[in-house]
Amino acid sequence: AFAQLAGTGGTIVLRGPVRLDKDFEAPAHAMRVVITSTHDGRDYRRGGGAKLVMDGAYTVNGPTTLTSLVIEPSARSSHLYCNGHPVVIAESVSCRPPPGGRFPAIVGAARQQGGADVTINGGQWDLVVGGALVEGVAGCAGAGCVAGVWAWATETTAAAASRLARAVRIKQFP
């Protein structure tokens, strides 16, 4: 579907559970692609069990909006790599980890570069990184070091928003 929408943009409607295999990388697309589970007044989350199941990393490769969507990470950690592209996560997005599992994480920039354009209005996230997860950063020991601005899910939204203000926009939740 991404390849068909690469030049024009458009909407991908999930009508049932869709499983992204380990480390799914979306094809490059220049125009905004909306991923949703509602269409023409019908909510497939209720009528068809629509959800996006992430078995690992999902790498975005163009402007993307997630709306009216349930995201279910696998038992191991799952990451949404925004790859420096404009990504909007609407209020109508929710995340539902499996029993004993974790919420997914968001990484705004490309894996080895800086720069992010992510708007988070919904969902629950284990970790939000405005920069990139990189290895070999000066002053950073071990693999998976975090470069850039970041926030843990345990931080208050106000603290997280303050730390991420220049890279990621987070809606203020009560």
Side-chain angles (χ1 to χ4, degrees):
F2 280 101
Q4 292 175 330
L5 299 175
T8 61
T11 302
I12 298 172
V13 179
L14 307 183
R15 294 184 176 181
V18 173
R19 182 175 299 277
L20 298 180
D21 291 332
K22 180 182 172 192
D23 302 329
F24 172 76
E25 190 165 327
H29 51 97
M31 304 300 291
R32 182 162 300 277
V33 171
V34 176
I35 302 172
T36 184
S37 58
T38 60
H39 182 65
D40 283 341
R42 185 159 181 199
D43 188 341
Y44 292 99
R45 293 172 292 184
R46 290 178 184 79
K51 60 185 172 182
L52 183 66
V53 180
M54 294 173 53
D55 277 345
Y58 166 21
T59 300
V60 172
N61 274 313
T64 303
T65 297
L66 305 177
T67 185
S68 301
L69 194 63
V70 173
I71 298 174
E72 186 176 284
S74 66
R76 66 186 192 110
S77 76
S78 299
H79 291 79
L80 174 64
Y81 289 104
C82 299
N83 219 13
H85 296 287
V87 173
V88 175
I89 300 167
E91 283 184 47
S92 55
V93 171
S94 64
C95 300
R96 189 177 359 169
R102 297 169 60 177
F103 288 105
I106 297 174
V107 179
R111 290 187 187 197
Q112 298 294 329
Q113 303 169 21
D117 184 2
V118 180
T119 302
I120 302 170
N121 291 320
Q124 301 82 22
W125 310 99
D126 184 48
L127 173 69
V128 176
V129 181
L133 294 176
V134 297
E135 296 181 24
V137 175
C140 186
C145 292
V146 177
V149 291
W150 53 273
W152 292 103
T154 55
E155 289 186 280
T156 66
T157 304
S162 173
R163 293 167 53 78
L164 297 167
R166 286 185 287 245
V168 178
R169 292 168 294 286
I170 297 179
K171 178 180 178 178
Q172 295 293 318
F173 294 101

